[in-house]
Amino acid sequence: LAMLADLDVLRALHPALGWTDTTAGWFAAARQAAFPDVALADIYLALALYMLNTADRTQFAAQYRLPGSEIRLLEDITSVQARVGRLRDSAVADSMIDRVLHGLGTTALRAAQIVEPDPVSRHIRRYIEYLRGVKLAVDGKYLESLGLRPGPRFGDLLAELRAAHLDGYAQTREQQEAWIQHAIQSG
């Protein structure tokens, strides 16, 4: 890529593409990290396009008729960049990390983990390696057993319970059931 940049090939592909010492450092960090959950080629694409603004990424996707998976990656990069500002404090609660990063693809998150400084990078790593995989002891079946019908309130209750669990409240099944019962009675 450095050679392509020297020959102005990158700029011919898209005027906003470039190669800097910073970009080279990102690529080296990706190789060194050897993330087991993303392909190196995918993380390279994410890193190469991370520096582009939203309009340039959209134009790049349209110009090269990228497949759906790459378009999703570009959308995730845009979302990550829009959201990470809320993770700049080192004392962000786990529930906030989960809420901010929920639904974003792993490749975009791993790219942001490389590009963004600490504490953002640390929060992203925590989300991928721990928070994303946390499962509650109770689920929708438990809510149905209490006589609730599936609907928007279901999702709201479970999301609020997840936040309470991630922040250290309602750790055991009994505590989660009590939390749900209290939430139902309260409102």
Side-chain angles (χ1 to χ4, degrees):
L1 286 173
M3 253 194 313
L4 292 176
D6 287 342
L7 297 170
D8 281 335
V9 173
L10 288 181
R11 296 227 187 269
L13 291 172
H14 192 281
L17 284 177
W19 187 258
T20 65
D21 290 342
T22 300
T23 314
W26 295 346
F27 276 59
R31 284 189 302 279
Q32 185 176 13
F35 297 122
D37 48 5
V38 294
L40 190 57
D42 292 339
I43 197 82
Y44 281 170
L45 176 64
L47 291 170
L49 300 176
Y50 201 91
M51 67 185 105
L52 274 62
N53 65 37
T54 303
D56 287 337
R57 278 193 296 270
T58 301
Q59 191 230 358
F60 184 88
Q63 181 178 349
Y64 293 104
R65 297 183 185 151
L66 296 181
S69 60
E70 275 83 12
I71 290 171
R72 170 63 199 257
L73 171 61
L74 298 182
E75 291 168 349
D76 283 346
I77 290 169
T78 298
S79 294
V80 166
Q81 290 175 332
R83 297 178 189 185
V84 295
R86 294 182 270 175
L87 301 178
R88 298 217 189 280
D89 184 354
S90 60
V92 174
D94 282 348
S95 62
M96 174 60 86
I97 296 168
D98 186 64
R99 194 170 24 259
V100 167
L101 300 178
H102 179 77
L104 297 174
T106 304
T107 303
L109 289 172
R110 289 296 193 188
Q113 183 181 339
I114 291 169
V115 173
E116 298 294 336
D118 276 335
V120 173
S121 176
R122 216 173 41 248
H123 294 320
I124 292 170
R125 184 177 59 250
R126 178 161 175 72
Y127 174 75
I128 292 170
E129 295 174 2
Y130 172 68
L131 299 174
R132 185 167 54 182
V134 168
K135 303 286 186 219
L136 296 173
V138 300
D139 57 16
K141 290 180 183 181
Y142 176 72
L143 297 179
E144 287 177 340
S145 77
L146 297 176
L148 295 174
R149 293 186 180 174
R153 181 76 176 128
F154 246 52
D156 292 344
L157 280 170
L158 291 173
E160 292 167 16
L161 175 60
R162 180 176 174 82
H165 175 73
L166 291 174
D167 289 343
Y169 312 103
Q171 293 298 302
T172 66
R173 180 175 187 86
E174 294 76 23
Q175 290 170 337
Q176 290 178 25
E177 289 174 357
W179 190 96
I180 288 287
Q181 290 170 4
H182 180 267
I184 292 170
Q185 292 170 357
S186 298

